[in-house]
Amino acid sequence: MALFTTNYKDLNDRDSLIPEGIYECIIDATGPDVTPGGTEYIKVNLRIRKDLDKALPDTNGKQHNRIVFVNIWKRKKTGKYDPSDLNFIMKAAGYPENTPVEDWDDWANNLVGKPVKVKVDIDESEYQGKTIKRNQVWASSFRATDFPLQGSKANADPFKEKGDTTEISDSDLPF
């Protein structure tokens, strides 16, 4: 019996751009990065939610589980990130206002796994005489989700102490 059978009919569809529109996504990964030329930026990888196929059949339903990349660049004049870019993302993900961000690990820990709504555009640019098309998501398009995650809280730690300090003695254990 074969493990699986090859099927190439849908391969061209996956190489295409995500159509323009409003998508419900999950922040899949985020953190600082640097280009080969040394330019620093923050990458945010968004995965189009696959749990909303019926609720959003024309967007999420057709593009679920695909990833769109967002890059937040440092401003050339200041050498710093624009605080409004970072705040749009944090507000959309439900980061409480006036919460300090300690470091990039803190940033990622508080954003990864959070649902957000974004507008995906198609951007055209010229590079070495060729027109390049790519998906673009601007930080200012981030909004709070219309579909909060159901069940356990995103990124909840099931082993985190909840105030119950019940002690179990060895005699209570069956082994």
Side-chain angles (χ1 to χ4, degrees), residues 34-98:
V34 64
T35 67
T39 304
E40 295 178 49
Y41 67 100
I42 300 169
K43 63 181 176 182
V44 182
N45 300 350
L46 301 173
R47 183 175 302 273
I48 296 174
R49 289 176 61 176
K50 58 187 176 183
D51 60 331
L52 299 174
D53 286 2
K54 290 181 182 174
L56 303 169
D58 294 330
T59 54
N60 284 59
K62 292 180 179 177
Q63 302 301 321
H64 67 252
N65 218 30
R66 292 190 65 189
I67 295 176
V68 63
F69 304 98
V70 182
N71 296 330
I72 309 297
W73 301 94
K74 281 189 173 181
R75 300 290 183 240
K76 290 180 182 178
K77 283 185 176 180
T78 65
K80 296 181 180 184
Y81 297 108
D82 184 336
S84 65
D85 286 345
L86 305 178
N87 284 314
F88 275 118
I89 296 168
M90 293 186 299
K91 181 179 181 184
Y95 224 102
E97 189 166 11
N98 296 316

Side-chain angles (χ1 to χ4, degrees), residues 109-168:
N109 290 337
N110 284 294
L111 292 177
V112 171
K114 298 292 197 274
V116 294
K117 179 171 59 174
V118 298
K119 183 177 189 281
V120 175
D121 291 317
I122 296 175
D123 182 53
E124 289 187 28
S125 58
E126 287 285 321
Y127 181 71
Q128 296 181 345
K130 294 181 184 176
T131 300
I132 308 278
K133 289 184 178 184
R134 63 186 175 98
N135 285 121
Q136 178 72 52
V137 175
W138 300 101
S140 60
S141 81
F142 275 70
R143 296 292 183 266
T145 183
D146 290 334
F147 300 90
L149 294 176
Q150 301 299 310
S152 65
K153 188 177 173 186
N155 290 337
D157 182 354
F159 301 106
K160 188 175 181 178
E161 265 190 54
K162 298 195 177 16
D164 184 3
T165 57
T166 303
E167 291 191 28
I168 299 174

